[in-house]
Amino acid sequence: MEQDWIWGLIGGLLIGTGGAVYLLANGRIMGASGIIGGLVDGTARDTKWEKLAFLAGVFLLPIIIFPVYSDIDTHVTDNWAVLIAGGLLVGIGTRFANGCTSGHGVCGMSRLSLRGFVATVAYIMAGGIGVILFRHLLGVI
């Protein structure tokens, strides 16, 4: 029996723990798009270093643990055009939703925020439609 589901569970627990630690330490919601957006548009002047430290951890930790977990198949496509298009669509979606999965899904729902629940339902539905469209109808991924 495959045990791949355990990696999703561990990842979810780590993201949830990270969100709780970020909230308890800083009093702010751990929304990745808000963290990146604040650095890009310059509104994060007072919190620039903590946001850069957070992003450094997000980028460096996978590089550090890769040698230990290099045999795990993530099922990510090798098609760079699909990856870039997906990243751009996610970025546009986070601007429309005024947040992302970590802000609305992890932190918003844990605070019982109606806006978090609505946004989470919307992006899960959009993801399902994307899978149906790109994988099953177009055969791209």
Side-chain angles (χ1 to χ4, degrees):
M1 184 170 139
E2 279 194 39
Q3 299 293 318
D4 290 345
W5 61 270
I6 195 74
W7 298 114
L9 176 64
I10 291 170
L13 289 170
L14 289 172
I15 291 170
T17 302
V21 168
Y22 196 83
L23 179 64
L24 292 172
N26 300 315
R28 286 184 283 283
I29 301 298
M30 181 202 70
S33 62
I35 290 171
I36 294 169
L39 290 169
V40 170
D41 66 14
T43 58
R45 289 183 194 104
D46 297 339
T47 59
K48 178 173 88 172
W49 293 111
E50 74 183 42
K51 291 181 183 208
L52 287 172
F54 176 84
L55 290 177
V58 168
F59 287 109
L60 293 177
L61 187 60
I63 294 168
I64 293 168
I65 67 170
F66 179 76
V68 177
Y69 297 106
S70 61
D71 62 331
I72 295 171
D73 186 10
T74 59
H75 307 288
V76 173
T77 181
D78 292 330
N79 186 338
W80 281 95
V82 170
L83 291 173
I84 291 168
L88 289 172
L89 288 171
V90 167
I92 292 167
T94 59
R95 280 298 171 190
F96 283 140
N98 198 21
C100 61
T101 56
S102 58
H104 287 304
V106 176
C107 299
M109 288 178 61
S110 65
R111 294 180 306 118
L112 302 177
S113 165
L114 178 61
R115 184 173 144 193
F117 279 98
V118 171
T120 302
V121 168
Y123 68 68
I124 288 176
M125 286 177 54
I129 291 168
V131 168
I132 291 167
L133 176 66
F134 290 109
R135 177 172 286 170
H136 299 293
L137 297 179
L138 299 176
V140 178
I141 53 175

